[in-house]
């Protein structure tokens, strides 16, 4: 597939994504919620279908997202609770967001990990959005 990249990911995967990547265990959501800090605010990079953002919102965390794929965000919007999560559309390497967050996370699939490594994706512009102690609040997880 010569047109397979971050911008076409959703077009290729949206019809299968939730079947392949199942729900997240509640213990994982609890762990993420514990990192959201006293503000209980989190930013998910590549929020996609909301498989993490929606249950995290259910734990009282105010989640915002960034995503490049309209198709993937449409999956989230169709789910209960998915309509309340604000999403900034674009590549998280350069799109900006409003506010500060005690938790900024990326729950990445293999394709995103490959793009990050291949392109040395800079996310330093997000440092301004960290809460009080960025050393304790950034997680890069593979779920």
């Amino acid at each position: 597939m010569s047109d397979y990249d971050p911008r076409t990911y959703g077009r290729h995967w949206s019809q299968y994504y939730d079947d392949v990547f199942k729900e997240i265990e509640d213990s994982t959501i609890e762990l993420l919620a514990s990192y959201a800090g006293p503000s209980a605010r989190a930013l998910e990079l590549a929020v996609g279908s909301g498989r993490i953002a929606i249950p995290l919102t259910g734990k009282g965390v105010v989640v915002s997202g960034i995503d490049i794929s309209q198709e993937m965000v449409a999956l989230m919007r169709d789910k209960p609770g998915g309509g309340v999560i604000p999403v900034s559309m674009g590549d998280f390497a350069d799109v900006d967001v409003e506010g500060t967050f005690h938790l900024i996370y990326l729950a990445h699939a293999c394709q995103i990990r490959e793009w990050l490594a291949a392109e040395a994706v800079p996310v330093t512009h997000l440092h301004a959005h960290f809460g009080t102690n960025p050393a304790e609040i950034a997680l890069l997880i593979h779920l």
Side-chain angles (χ1 to χ4, degrees):
M1 282 186 236
S2 62
D3 69 337
Y4 192 78
D5 62 31
R7 296 186 188 281
T8 61
Y9 178 85
R11 185 172 5 120
H12 294 290
W13 270 95
S14 62
Q15 61 186 324
Y16 310 107
Y17 190 86
D18 284 339
D19 292 330
V20 174
F21 298 99
K22 302 295 182 185
E23 292 180 16
I24 299 298
E25 300 226 2
D26 195 54
S27 60
T28 301
I29 298 302
E30 291 287 344
L31 175 67
L32 290 172
S34 75
Y35 279 102
S39 70
R41 289 183 41 87
L43 175 65
E44 182 172 350
L45 309 178
V47 68
S49 70
R51 74 185 182 107
I52 297 172
I54 293 171
L56 194 54
T57 298
K59 297 292 183 188
V61 177
V62 178
V63 179
S64 296
I66 299 175
D67 207 285
I68 200 167
S69 170
Q70 294 285 350
E71 295 91 349
M72 294 299 288
V73 173
L75 289 175
M76 179 173 63
R77 297 286 182 236
D78 288 342
K79 296 176 183 175
V84 301
I85 298 169
V87 177
S88 297
M89 295 305 299
D91 188 331
F92 63 74
D94 56 31
V95 73
D96 206 1
V97 293
E98 294 291 321
T100 58
F101 306 90
H102 275 72
L103 172 65
I104 299 176
Y105 65 97
L106 168 63
H108 57 88
C110 296
Q111 294 84 359
I112 294 173
R113 183 175 57 235
E114 290 170 10
W115 294 322
L116 287 171
E119 299 177 23
V121 174
V123 291
T124 55
H125 68 287
L126 295 173
H127 290 181
H129 299 284
F130 281 133
T132 57
N133 190 352
E136 296 180 357
I137 54 182
L139 296 178
L140 182 61
I141 56 176
H142 183 202
L143 302 173

